[in-house]
Amino acid sequence: MSNRMWGGRFAAGPDAIMEEINASIGFDQRLFRQDITGSIAHANMLAATGIIADADRDAIVAGLAELHGEIEGQKFTFSRALEDIHMNVESALRERIGDPAGRLHTARSRNDQIATDFKLYVRDVIDTLGEQVLALQAALVDRADEEAGTVMPGFTHLQSAQPVTLGHHLLAYVEMLGRDASRLRDARARMNESPLGTAALAGTSFPIDRHMTAEELGFDRPAANSLDAVADRDFVLETLSAATICAIHLSRFAEELVIWSSAQFRFVQLSDKFSTGSSIMPQKRNPDAAELVRAKVGRIFGAFTSLTLVMKGLPMTYSKDMQEDKEVAFDAFDSLSLALAAMTGMVKDMSFNRDAMLAAAGSGFSTATDLADWLVRELNMPFRDAHHVTGAIVALAEKKGCGLDGLTIEDLKQVDERINSKVFSVLSVEKSVASRTSYGGTSPENVRQQVARWRDLLG
């Protein structure tokens, strides 16, 4: 039996294999809201320009509203034989209102229709992800305020480097997420041009008003080139790129939580809500939520790579290859949304072991840079000389099996007789972090200032 949506061009029905590879309704049905919204805007414009009668417009809009309610209420059965969301909606509309439904597709194509639907969907996704990023930032800011004076080791190469404050460390992720939110906003602004009315690829001879549909759908303007409008998937790629970078940031934080929650570190304990046990080892407390967040970047970056490879060799304008844009994007955006929600929950519920952090902050001679800076300031020593002297003092402390603050003044004078007892003012980790008052530094004072700044920015 021929597919009646195709008209008279094809007499035979699709082969089962062709139907299997061609049908997209299994995944693009989630675009029903956007498809119906776009169709209502198109019908309103067709009536306003005199292309269809007002009575037909009224029947179309009422039928689409009824259909929206059925799909929303899960009372609608999608048909694979009708391939995609557009044909399913149009066929169902015809069953409900008859001939007026056949006028809806005037002056448009599935090419501009899917581009419009997908843009509306990605725009909604960006808005949702943006809200989730802000929620995670707010949770981190709250915890940073609580831990503004908590001393912990700062790392380079995962080796103890200099003492920092936990609040400062948490705010580093707030800054990263701020860039993520900015990238999402940029992507939204750049994509906000309407493809609707560009038809298959060349525009239409009907006297349509694309500015009207663009305005009704919340776009800034109609897309200026019909070829580009139906061929463009930059908006998906750019959003997937921003999603990938955001997922990388979440993965880095998740990796730290996995390390910090280990018995070797004991810096943090995740709540029962975000931990699991072992089927064989009763003592285990596994940071599974953090590990799964860490893994999500693979799926999200995979989606970006997949769509990049789909698009890279396509000639103008629309090719069926572009049907492969949706499944990977849907999965990636769902994965990022879930990862953001999980990370926000972990941040709110986790507890920090301040004593373990403080003890670790003093290991590895982490105040050596403070000592070198003191030699420069107090003894007017060139920094490279101070670096050498400090290295000799570290070697002495290592030999004696103590920290820098465990050395006596006599020990220090063995290395350089000009050193005096004032040096002990910089050798504790607490004094080290308190001294880092340069803008962007780790001092508790700075942390509290940045907390206030971020609370103003986040509203």
Side-chain angles (χ1 to χ4, degrees):
M1 186 177 93
S2 64
N3 184 335
R4 64 191 174 112
M5 301 304 291
W6 285 112
R9 175 64 180 84
F10 294 90
D15 182 272
I17 295 175
M18 180 59 188
E19 181 177 307
E20 183 68 24
I21 196 172
N22 191 50
S24 60
I25 190 61
F27 52 85
D28 70 13
Q29 61 184 261
R30 76 158 66 188
L31 297 176
F32 78 89
R33 297 179 186 85
Q34 290 79 17
D35 194 73
I36 290 173
T37 298
S39 290
I40 289 173
H42 188 64
N44 287 335
M45 181 275 296
L46 291 176
T49 54
I51 297 172
I52 66 173
D54 287 350
D56 287 339
R57 184 269 320 277
D58 293 344
I60 289 169
V61 171
L64 288 171
E66 178 185 336
L67 185 57
H68 184 281
E70 287 183 28
I71 300 174
E72 191 82 65
Q74 299 183 339
K75 298 176 181 178
F76 183 84
T77 301
F78 292 100
S79 168
R80 280 179 58 83
L82 293 172
E83 295 184 16
D84 58 30
I85 185 61
H86 321 301
M87 287 186 167
N88 270 265
V89 168
E90 187 175 337
S91 176
L93 184 65
R94 182 179 284 273
E95 291 175 1
R96 284 157 179 74
I97 68 171
D99 288 344
R103 303 187 186 280
L104 175 59
H105 209 54
T106 306
R108 75 174 183 183
S109 161
R110 285 194 300 173
N111 294 356
D112 63 328
Q113 191 177 357
I114 187 53
T116 302
D117 290 359
F118 207 11
K119 273 198 172 183
L120 291 172
Y121 176 83
V122 173
R123 200 174 67 182
D124 290 343
V125 163
I126 288 174
D127 291 343
T128 298
L129 292 176
E131 291 173 359
Q132 288 187 282
V133 169
L134 292 179
L136 177 52
Q137 286 182 290
L140 285 165
V141 168
D142 286 344
R143 299 310 305 267
D145 192 15
E146 295 170 9
E147 309 296 339
T150 300
V151 179
M152 66 172 291
F155 298 97
T156 61
H157 309 278
L158 202 56
Q159 304 295 312
S160 184
Q162 292 177 268
V164 296
T165 51
L166 175 56
H168 192 58
H169 193 108
L170 297 175
L171 287 177
Y173 285 102
V174 177
E175 296 287 339
M176 293 183 196
L177 291 163
R179 295 192 294 274
D180 294 326
S182 177
R183 274 183 283 269
L184 289 170
R185 289 193 298 269
D186 287 349
R188 192 190 195 285
R190 219 172 342 268
M191 68 175 281
N192 209 32
E193 296 182 344
S194 173
L196 190 58
T198 57
L201 75 162
T204 178
S205 59
F206 288 96
I208 62 174
D209 185 347
R210 293 189 58 222
H211 287 85
M212 177 181 172
T213 51
E215 182 177 357
E216 183 168 340
L217 293 172
F219 290 108
D220 295 330
R221 64 192 71 83
N225 185 287
S226 60
L227 299 172
D228 176 56
V230 297
D232 169 39
R233 290 300 183 271
D234 291 0
F235 64 95
V236 192
L237 286 169
E238 187 171 5
T239 307
L240 285 172
S241 174
T244 298
I245 297 171
C246 183
I248 289 170
H249 293 155
L250 297 181
S251 182
R252 294 181 71 178
F253 191 21
E255 168 72 357
E256 292 194 321
L257 294 181
V258 170
I259 293 171
W260 290 1
S261 63
S262 69
Q264 290 73 27
F265 273 73
R266 297 184 303 109
F267 286 1
V268 68
Q269 180 169 306
L270 302 180
S271 74
D272 291 347
K273 296 178 184 177
F274 299 98
S275 304
T276 65
S278 165
S279 63
I280 189 172
M281 295 169 284
Q283 84 281 8
K284 291 293 293 298
R285 184 185 185 89
N286 299 323
D288 281 9
E291 291 173 355
L292 290 166
V293 168
R294 183 176 60 185
K296 291 297 182 187
V297 67
R299 299 174 70 133
I300 297 166
F301 178 56
F304 174 69
T305 303
S306 174
L307 185 54
T308 299
L309 294 175
V310 167
M311 297 300 299
K312 75 171 185 65
L314 296 187
M316 286 291 208
T317 53
Y318 181 83
S319 299
K320 196 70 169 183
D321 311 51
M322 292 162 70
Q323 184 169 289
E324 293 297 314
D325 58 358
K326 284 173 264 319
E327 281 185 285
V328 292
F330 292 158
D331 181 76
F333 298 145
D334 289 347
S335 293
L336 181 57
S337 179
L338 181 58
L340 284 165
M343 186 60 77
T344 302
M346 283 187 282
V347 167
K348 289 181 176 180
D349 286 354
M350 69 178 64
S351 57
F352 296 106
N353 186 339
R354 295 171 180 170
D355 291 338
M357 286 185 167
L358 179 61
S363 66
F365 310 106
S366 62
T367 57
T369 304
D370 298 270
L371 172 56
D373 289 345
W374 183 88
L375 294 171
V376 171
R377 282 195 312 270
E378 299 296 323
L379 304 184
N380 198 28
M381 191 180 292
F383 183 79
R384 282 302 166 200
D385 293 347
H387 188 283
H388 179 78
V389 169
T390 301
I393 293 172
V394 167
L396 177 61
E398 194 169 34
K399 183 178 179 180
K400 293 176 69 71
C402 66
L404 295 179
D405 56 351
L407 295 172
T408 66
I409 189 63
E410 290 76 16
D411 293 329
L412 297 170
K413 283 183 174 292
Q414 286 180 33
V415 179
D416 192 303
E417 62 180 12
R418 293 173 293 175
I419 297 176
N420 58 59
S421 59
K422 292 180 181 178
V423 72
F424 293 106
S425 66
V426 300
L427 295 184
S428 74
V429 291
E430 293 88 351
K431 290 174 180 175
S432 173
V433 296
S435 72
R436 304 290 172 178
T437 57
S438 60
Y439 185 79
T442 191
S443 71
E445 176 187 351
N446 280 8
V447 170
R448 295 185 180 98
Q449 289 173 355
Q450 290 299 317
V451 164
R453 167 179 165 263
W454 272 109
R455 282 187 169 145
D456 286 342
L457 290 172
L458 297 174

